[in-house]
Amino acid sequence: MTIFRKPRRLALSAVLAGGTALAGLVSGPVLAQEEDPIRVGVLHSLSGTMAISETTLRDVVLMMVEELNEDGGLLGRPVEAVVVDPASDWPLFAEKARELIEVHDVDVVFGCWTSVSRKSVLPVFEELNGLLFYPVQYEGEESSRNIFYTGAAPNQQAIPAVEYLMNEYGAERWVLLGTDYVYPRTTNRILRSFLNANGVSDDDIMEDYTPFGHSDWQTIVTQVRDFANQGLQTAVVSTINGDANVPFYRELSNQGIDAFDLPVVAFSVGEEELSGIDTDNLVGHLASWNYFMSVDTPENAAFIEQWHDFIGSEERVVNDPMEAHYIGFNMWVQAVRQAGTPDVDAVRQAMYGQTVRSLSGYDVVMNTNHHLSKPVMIGEILEDGQFEIVWQTDGLVVGDAWSDFIPESAELTADWTYPWVCGNCTEPRFEPAQY
Amino acid sequence: MTRKALPGPGSGRAFLALALAGLILLMAGVPGPAAAQDEPVDPAYVQAVQALAEGGFRDKAEAIETLVELGDPRAGRVLAAMFDRRLFVREDAGEDAPALVIGETDAGDQVVIRDAITLEPLGVVHEDTLEAVGINNRLRRTLQEAIGTLQLRDPDPATRIAAAEALAGDRSDENAALLRDVLEAEEDPDVRDAITFALAQIDLGSDDRERRLAAIETLGGSFEPAVRGMLARVVRQNADGSYVEPDEEIRLAAEAALRQTERNLALVEFALNIFQGISLGSVLLLAAMGLAITFGVMGVINMAHGEMLMLGAYTTFVIQEIFRSVAPGLFDAYILVAIPAAFLVAGLVGVALEQGVIRFLYGRPLETLLATWGISLVLQQVVRLIFGAPNREVANPDWMQGGFELLGGAVITYNRLYIIIFALVVLALVALVLRYSRFGLQMRAVTQNRPMAACMGIRSGRVDALTFGLGSGIAGVGGVALSQIGNVSPNLGQSYIVDSFMVVVFGGVGSLWGVLVAAMSLGIINKFLEPYAGAMLGKIIVLVVIILFIQRRPRGLFALKGRAAEA
Amino acid sequence: MGPITSRLATMMTPKGWAALAAALLVFAVVLPVLNLAVPPGSPFHLPDFAVSLIGKYLCFAMLALALDLIWGFAGALSLGHGAFFALGGYCMGMYLMRQIGERGVYGHPTLPDFMVFLDWDELPWYWYGFDNFGFAMLMVMLVPGLLALIFGWLAFRSRISGVYFSIITQAMTFALMLAFFRNEMGFGGNNGLTDFKDILGFTIQSQQTRVGLMIASAVALALALLVCLFVVTSKLGRVLVAVRDAENRVRFLGYSVTHAKLLVFVLSAVLAGIAGALYVPQVGIINPGEFSPANSIEVAVWVAVGGRGTLLGPILGAVSVNAAESYFTGFAPDLWLFVLGGLFITVTLFLPQGILGLLRGLRDRLRGTARTPVAETAGHA
């Protein structure tokens, strides 16, 4: 199922012998192929700490490539996936991105999960004018000409969730818990500013950060209990990352904190994460995403069936970043067809305004700030690890590259079409891009 | 219907849930007193019960209110079932058969059901024919209060106490009136205390000065953190320095009560820190004990130790899955099988490693470090290929879920408690094996003087293999415990390896007591630092302390004396 | 023969000097020409991609060389060398961040972007001076050197050696990793430092700059090799080997073991720091992951694979293991860890002298001269 390619243009081997150091380069012959395929790079960690989340995303891209080929390929050419393993090592992400573009000559890359991996590859994509589809919810505050952000920006996930808790639960005190990295820090800064604007004083906000993979939550959960036991309805906003969630929810439940006493809304807990958790402890807690597997649409049912067939297991779940890749991949395919070429510059132009019927049944749109307009949904965790959707936006929410709640970024605009042509402008630039 | 979690009685509300569960179990066996089948059924009641399964959450909330107003005692049972998501709509119900049922016990996928209206038993059906009535958090709250109101006159005192506590959550005048009403008739002293306390919480916010003073009197000296918050609000100052509470007498009384409560809570916090420290310590102890043997006794720098923990955790996962599919009724006992299985799996892998790789590297400790690191990479990747990269779910058995409340909201969780006990039992067993068994004797002989032991007829190679197997097996057992508190993923071992080495080195290589003392003291230091320094800084400080300590005592807390120490 | 030339002759044979010069010629002249002057279509063209890879390998080689100095010659296996490497890298990263100036996304004149969106008001004091290249380079050497001095003094003074030394150095790098992960530290937390624009006025993304950095790495590696050779062929070097093989005897002979070890440990840390400083502009990011204990262990593997105590071996080891990693992670990602793990096991079991030992053995066999194997004792570990 995986189509691996050997480097075509070059086989580099450094031959160093005896006491002498010599580097010899052997350039392989350039093989002319009858029908040059369109190449799609997949840059997801298959080993190391992030393999937990990213392996699935590789599979979903491979599935869509396979389907595309069954349907006759793209522009009459076959599509080939080039998979590399950046091994959760951030400098290696940059190296592999360069390898994909320079050596494997890919036309587009689907990849990255963590912010740091995206930050690491960003200069490479900009330098080589590549195209990256980034499928994960992130902290915003970025807009690159060479990246399309198909995950949620903070205003498409965090702020709607907090509004929901205010309205539905009457939450007045807030615990902002997160893993100590840039996404929780930025999200919580935005939320604090949003809460302050809504009349919540800093005394009623508790903010705490833990290391990656934090496993001993006894002290923090006790502190949260104390904080919540002050008579006002309290809610927890969790930006706790992946692995630390299991022990966190276990500790909450064992200390007798129920979802209706102290609802926890999480931005990093989805179906995939829940499949590794004993969900008894989590029932009733909330998550905010742009998509849930339980969405009842024909597109979603078909996708789930296709996924189960592809992966060979009925047990496997679908989650939001997978849907983001689904949207991103289909948009890219449409844009390539429209442009008539996989060329990056042409495809980028064709991407703007591209519409795809998402699995959640909405016609999501790619905006000129390289972020999507997507629906926002809030789900309650059920015993079977699925979500019951308890609230969703009426229409689409436009992703903000720059948050209005951070003073420095409030005045910035991202727009990659004339006359702005800029990812962080305060005024139009009236100049074409330099590439 | 899936297994039902019994939420721990951590808070008042959770107490209620437990009481409810108890009540339900009781009633599952005995036909409830209210289940008088010949009694004519009020059509309004039937309608309201049926409405529970219809419409949106708001419609359901209205139906609940109606049931409370009707005051039919059977409603408590229906609502309790709904709260637990055991109120079902039968999808295969014919024209005449009741559509709304309460599920009671489940054996595998079979559920014993009862008509939700008449409460008559209806036999056993397959769980696939039932669909639970959906509720959300807001509805849970409504249900809880409704159940509280309906159960304040319940025959069982524990249920009444729980109901009183539940009602204190919503400080409305109706609740106060209701509580005052029942207080007069109540005879049980414990229930009276609970009602008085609940009433005081409501009265604190009333307009009646005398009532407030009395409430402060009642609340003073409480161990409830919630009380601290309530009293603190009474004595709070405005931004300009003036007091929010104009009545000085009330304020002073509240201040005194607050001081008392805070003293109590500080005491509780101290005790809780100790418990949590010991709990963290016992996790470290379980993680490090295997290493204390492979590294401490044999001198093998076993970087694959973390992967032995991981193998133990995955064995637990496999055993759990077997129980789930073969003997779901015995599910809670899976862990008893997982412990020896994990010991065997990790132990056998350990023996294989010793025979295949490590025995060629004795005397070259730094090389063993590299080789075992290589082994750890391979084991991780093997597990990743077999089980996949994502986390696997390992459920706590029911008896390890929840916890009990000591005082002042301090909750002792069962899984932590069992792990502490488990760690100490394992330590004791290891100590006994080393001290009293023939194998232990041979092992000590080989470590202390290999050539001499060999001369005495001990097959030192075999002892080495078994010792390494024992250390690995113990690590596997540690993995069982770790699977109960954290993730089961291929990276599991990596997160414990540095900590394990720190514990062994800090305690003194080769000393089991050293490992115990080191694990416990590191756990407790960490937990006392954490509230002030935060989790991250706390851990850094502990590491620096260990580094500095090793400079002072390079051989750890309990250094072995004599020749062996210089090896 | 004057004293200097005779000293040089003790470091390497004339053939060795010639080989070094040839290697330097290849990396500093031939490869750059192949990349910049030969047109991309030509079979002799060195692709841009290869330049940054080679540059990276050279930095890793220098790190491995630094570790070999302390492990191969003084017998102390530091599992914290990644920390010195990363600290050097962070110093360089701070310089590069300051060079961004107003070109950051928020256009703040002094604060890096991550400080702006984390709501910092002013530059922390420890960031002062890093806008100056000279100062930053001084820090690249001083910061790792000082840490090594303090840490080594504490450790060697109390005669911590062997396994214990390895474990506390591992604890050191682990503690530093946790510390650098904290956003409050002001080093960008998990994201680290990235999005560099230019170095000494040269655009960091231009191919010329990248070639320049590769040349700089090659030259630095050659100089580092000479420094190491100078040390190990000096009297100090002989004391060190003696320390490695029988520490207590050396002590009883009246040598200061502490000072000898401390000196090479600091030197080794400084070399690692310089390697890190050269690495960062070439890969474009430095983050706390570089401190992770696994990275440091991997360095030890490069040394072991190449052949420890040989100085040249570690360079070979670093380059070959990393080249294998680049190849496998692109070709068969699932197999890479098996290959790496298998390599660890095979080398320790079957190639105690590493690749270099294997090559020498082959050479000797070809010449028909049976060499007596070097007596390798485990020291007093």
Side-chain angles (χ1 to χ4, degrees), chain A residues 33 62 68 88 102 115 119 160 165 272 368 377 406:
Chain A
Q33 290 175 355
L62 291 178
L68 192 59
S88 314
E102 283 196 348
S115 283
K119 292 275 185 207
L165 286 172
E272 179 88 21
T368 53
M377 307 178 172
I406 293 183

Side-chain angles (χ1 to χ4, degrees), chain A residues 26 38 47 70 76 121 187 203 260 277 298 305 325 363 427 434-435:
Chain A
V26 189
I38 292 177
S47 56
E70 281 167 10
V121 301
T187 304
D203 290 344
F260 48 99
I277 303 183
E305 197 188 328
H325 257 348
D363 291 322
E427 54 192 50
Q434 288 157 3
Y435 295 92

Side-chain angles (χ1 to χ4, degrees), chain C:
Chain C
M1 222 191 261
I4 295 177
T5 38
S6 72
R7 181 69 186 91
L8 290 180
T10 58
M11 284 165 61
M12 261 195 291
T13 58
K15 220 190 266 178
W17 282 101
L20 180 66
L24 205 55
L25 190 74
V26 168
F27 284 103
V29 180
V30 178
L31 294 186
V33 167
L34 287 182
N35 173 245
L36 292 177
V38 177
S42 157
F44 296 105
H45 174 72
L46 178 69
D48 296 354
F49 168 68
V51 171
S52 37
L53 268 190
I54 293 174
K56 194 179 97 167
Y57 297 163
L58 291 174
C59 295
F60 285 153
M62 191 163 161
L63 173 59
L65 179 72
L67 180 64
D68 192 34
L69 190 63
I70 182 77
W71 184 28
F73 291 90
L77 171 55
S78 159
L79 290 184
H81 254 53
F84 303 127
F85 182 79
L87 285 173
Y90 264 98
C91 290
M92 176 57 106
M94 286 159 81
Y95 162 74
L96 294 169
M97 286 311 269
R98 294 296 305 272
Q99 293 305 302
I100 297 173
E102 292 185 15
R103 285 168 293 172
V105 294
Y106 303 109
H108 196 285
T110 49
L111 291 191
D113 286 340
F114 69 86
M115 290 191 189
V116 177
F117 71 63
L118 291 179
D119 212 6
W120 290 48
D121 294 329
E122 56 183 47
L123 206 62
W125 59 268
Y126 43 82
W127 275 75
Y128 288 134
F130 276 95
D131 47 340
N132 180 306
F133 185 74
F135 178 81
M137 290 310 104
L138 191 66
M139 286 298 133
V140 160
M141 296 185 271
L142 264 186
V143 172
L146 266 178
L147 177 65
L149 185 71
I150 296 166
F151 193 87
W153 184 72
L154 284 169
F156 298 133
R157 186 192 53 147
S158 40
R159 300 186 193 180
I160 296 174
S161 61
V163 179
Y164 292 88
F165 181 73
S166 303
I167 290 173
I168 61 165
T169 46
Q170 187 178 44
M172 174 192 78
T173 189
F174 188 62
L176 278 171
M177 178 178 79
L178 292 178
F180 274 76
F181 264 129
R182 299 182 68 233
N183 276 286
E184 284 94 346
M185 286 282 287
F187 294 109
N190 181 48
N191 273 13
L193 310 176
T194 176
D195 206 16
F196 309 133
K197 303 282 190 226
D198 48 29
I199 177 167
L200 285 173
F202 299 105
T203 313
I204 219 156
Q205 296 195 341
S206 83
Q207 193 54 29
Q208 284 80 357
T209 312
R210 221 171 268 133
V211 170
L213 284 166
M214 183 186 80
I215 297 173
S217 309
V219 172
L221 178 60
L223 288 178
L225 182 63
L226 290 181
V227 170
C228 291
L229 276 171
F230 182 82
V231 170
V232 301
T233 51
S234 67
K235 192 178 149 205
L236 173 67
R238 289 194 290 278
V239 171
L240 282 175
V241 174
V243 167
R244 179 188 75 189
D245 295 341
E247 181 166 334
N248 281 338
R249 288 188 206 172
V250 180
R251 216 182 278 281
F252 297 147
L253 285 171
Y255 289 100
S256 170
V257 171
T258 310
H259 289 147
K261 278 182 155 179
L262 194 55
L263 190 68
V264 283
F265 189 52
V266 171
L267 178 62
S268 167
V270 170
L271 290 179
I274 296 172
L278 285 164
Y279 169 79
V280 168
Q282 303 192 62
V283 298
I285 185 170
I286 174 77
N287 88 357
E290 299 295 335
F291 285 103
S292 89
N295 281 21
S296 296
I297 292 176
E298 217 175 294
V299 181
V301 172
W302 304 339
V303 176
V305 166
R308 81 178 166 107
T310 59
L311 294 183
L312 199 58
I315 296 178
L316 270 180
V319 172
S320 48
V321 173
N322 278 292
E325 174 165 5
S326 294
Y327 180 70
F328 273 99
T329 47
F331 165 65
D334 283 339
L335 296 180
W336 166 237
L337 283 181
F338 286 125
V339 174
L340 188 65
L343 196 65
F344 282 44
I345 302 167
T346 326
V347 167
T348 46
L349 281 185
F350 305 112
L351 292 175
Q353 308 283 318
I355 299 176
L356 205 61
L358 186 72
L359 291 175
R360 282 183 179 159
L362 285 175
R363 186 190 61 188
D364 294 345
R365 195 172 297 171
L366 284 175
R367 287 183 186 167
T369 54
R371 259 173 65 112
T372 45
V374 180
E376 186 76 27
T377 63
H380 256 244

Side-chain angles (χ1 to χ4, degrees), chain A residues 72-93:
Chain A
L74 193 53
L75 303 178
R77 291 160 66 184
V79 179
E80 187 178 288
V82 184
V83 179
V84 290
D85 177 18
S88 314
D89 175 347
W90 320 131
L92 200 57
F93 263 92

